[in-house]
Amino acid sequence: MSANANATKWSGLGLEELGDLAGLLNEVPAANAGGAGPLELPLDLIDEDPNQPRTADNPGFLPESIAEIGETIKDRGVKSPISVRENKDAPGRYFINHGARRYRGSKWANRTTIPAFIDNDYNEADQVIENLQRNELTAREIADFIGRELAKGKKKGEIAKEIGKSPAFITQHVTLLDLPEPIAEAFNSGRCKDVTVINELVTAYKKNPGEVAVWLADDSQELTRGTVKLLREFLEDKRNHEQGDRDPNTVDALTGKTDAEAGDSEQGPQDDGANGKKDSKEPDPNKLKKAIIQVKHDDRPARLILNRRPPTDGWAWFKYEDDGQEFAADLGTVQLVALLEG
């Protein structure tokens, strides 16, 4: 049927003022609400989010990784639509919410469009949450996000709640923003990626910077939770012996006496000065020589560190019983289990 015939066919239906229907169908819709399927958006209208939490050195963004997903897209297309939002500063263009790898893979495969859903109710925290759930963020990327949020004036507790993590998780990653040089080198080089190990090293470095720096300088030294725990115990014992500040309730392995008891024995019995009788004070059975406060945090047994200043009001330092990791936590997040004598 000719174009004139088509015009004649529809002329009596009052549709002349709709204009070119084909042109309308070729335009990109502004949204796809109401349960409609994904749009097929032109790639050249889409930009990557400048605040994308994943950085260029993320394993998922390495050239070989993009080529791998690109080969799949070349053969089978993009099976899972990406999520985008409208760019308010450039009408008609979009920012990627989630799906940057599929976007890059599509460009690698020389495709011109990509299936996408438009979701304007999406922010950087949503990106972090989704990538955390997929384990696609490095510790550095998480720390950088937390740093940006702190710079906006948010509290650590707010950020923790926003991304569904514990305050201890936030505190551990904040440490990564300002590492001592020897530890920063080990972390940035990829020699150690365990955030807990890095925090343990920072704690040791604050008390023994020289020794920790020398220990890290040995490239053959494994950086694991076990080796760092041994390092900290060694440095603690060394410092105690050098400074003579061992806990007076520490039991000597040879004599079976505490340092306090051994000191009393060396001094000998004391004269009361009044009636010439020796002072034979009996210990008060109602008093604890050394208190150990056991708690539970994140369903893990821990104990309260009584001689370490808390980072802020309402917080305290604790030590996990299973791996010796020390951490700061809100007192409201721990459950008191028992009060024991050390």
Side-chain angles (χ1 to χ4, degrees), residues 143-161:
D144 288 341
F145 163 75
I146 293 172
R148 290 194 297 270
E149 295 298 287
L150 290 172
K152 297 175 185 176
K154 289 187 178 180
K155 304 294 184 183
K156 293 180 183 178
E158 294 180 70
I159 302 171
K161 184 176 181 181

Side-chain angles (χ1 to χ4, degrees), residues 5 61 122 145-146 149 196 200 208 221 233 264 315 341:
F61 283 164
Y122 204 94
F145 163 75
I146 293 172
E149 295 298 287
T196 298
E200 290 287 298
N208 305 85
Q221 177 62 61
E233 290 175 350
D264 290 341
W315 282 55
E341 182 169 15

Side-chain angles (χ1 to χ4, degrees), residues 117-273:
F117 287 104
I118 297 176
D119 181 3
N120 290 322
D121 182 26
Y122 204 94
N123 57 36
E124 190 175 356
D126 294 323
Q127 291 181 322
V128 170
I129 292 168
E130 190 157 2
N131 282 301
L132 279 174
Q133 292 172 343
R134 295 170 179 260
N135 292 320
E136 291 180 351
L137 289 180
T138 65
R140 168 59 65 183
E141 290 166 342
I142 296 170
D144 288 341
F145 163 75
I146 293 172
R148 290 194 297 270
E149 295 298 287
L150 290 172
K152 297 175 185 176
K154 289 187 178 180
K155 304 294 184 183
K156 293 180 183 178
E158 294 180 70
I159 302 171
K161 184 176 181 181
E162 195 172 45
I163 64 174
K165 291 292 182 178
S166 68
F169 177 90
I170 302 300
T171 299
Q172 281 196 325
H173 284 80
V174 167
T175 302
L176 304 180
L177 298 174
D178 187 23
L179 293 173
E181 185 58 36
I183 302 176
E185 184 178 339
F187 177 65
N188 295 330
S189 67
R191 182 180 170 196
C192 179
K193 298 179 181 179
D194 189 325
V195 179
T196 298
V197 171
I198 294 297
N199 275 264
E200 290 287 298
L201 283 171
V202 170
T203 301
Y205 186 89
K206 288 177 180 177
K207 297 180 179 179
N208 305 85
E211 290 90 337
V212 173
V214 170
W215 190 77
L216 287 171
D218 181 2
D219 293 335
S220 65
Q221 177 62 61
E222 283 188 302
L223 303 185
T224 66
R225 297 189 184 191
T227 59
V228 174
K229 182 181 179 182
L230 290 175
L231 171 67
R232 290 191 60 189
E233 290 175 350
F234 167 76
L235 294 175
E236 188 73 23
D237 288 343
K238 179 183 177 184
R239 187 170 61 254
N240 288 339
H241 281 90
E242 288 177 349
Q243 298 178 355
D245 61 353
R246 289 210 308 172
D247 188 330
N249 293 311
T250 300
V251 177
D252 189 285
L254 296 176
T255 67
K257 294 183 178 180
T258 66
D259 288 357
E261 292 169 339
D264 290 341
S265 299
E266 291 175 3
Q267 292 175 10
Q270 301 297 313
D271 194 320
D272 64 6

Side-chain angles (χ1 to χ4, degrees), residues 269-340:
Q270 301 297 313
D271 194 320
D272 64 6
N275 51 21
K277 292 183 179 178
K278 305 301 181 183
D279 185 3
S280 56
K281 267 189 181 177
E282 292 293 331
D284 188 341
N286 295 317
K287 291 184 179 180
L288 299 176
K289 289 184 177 180
K290 182 181 179 182
I292 295 178
I293 300 175
Q294 292 187 326
V295 300
K296 183 177 288 186
H297 179 266
D298 284 344
D299 289 327
R300 294 172 63 186
R303 65 174 61 186
L304 178 65
I305 301 176
L306 297 171
N307 60 354
R308 188 167 179 183
R309 190 184 302 277
T312 187
D313 290 343
W315 282 55
W317 281 93
F318 300 87
K319 183 175 183 178
Y320 282 126
E321 299 282 10
D322 49 13
D323 63 5
Q325 175 198 341
E326 294 183 2
F327 63 96
D330 188 328
L331 290 170
T333 65
V334 299
Q335 176 187 351
L336 180 62
V337 175
L339 177 60
L340 306 175

Side-chain angles (χ1 to χ4, degrees), residues 105-121:
S106 295
K107 293 180 72 173
W108 185 95
N110 294 318
R111 294 180 69 89
T112 57
T113 64
I114 190 170
F117 287 104
I118 297 176
D119 181 3
N120 290 322
D121 182 26

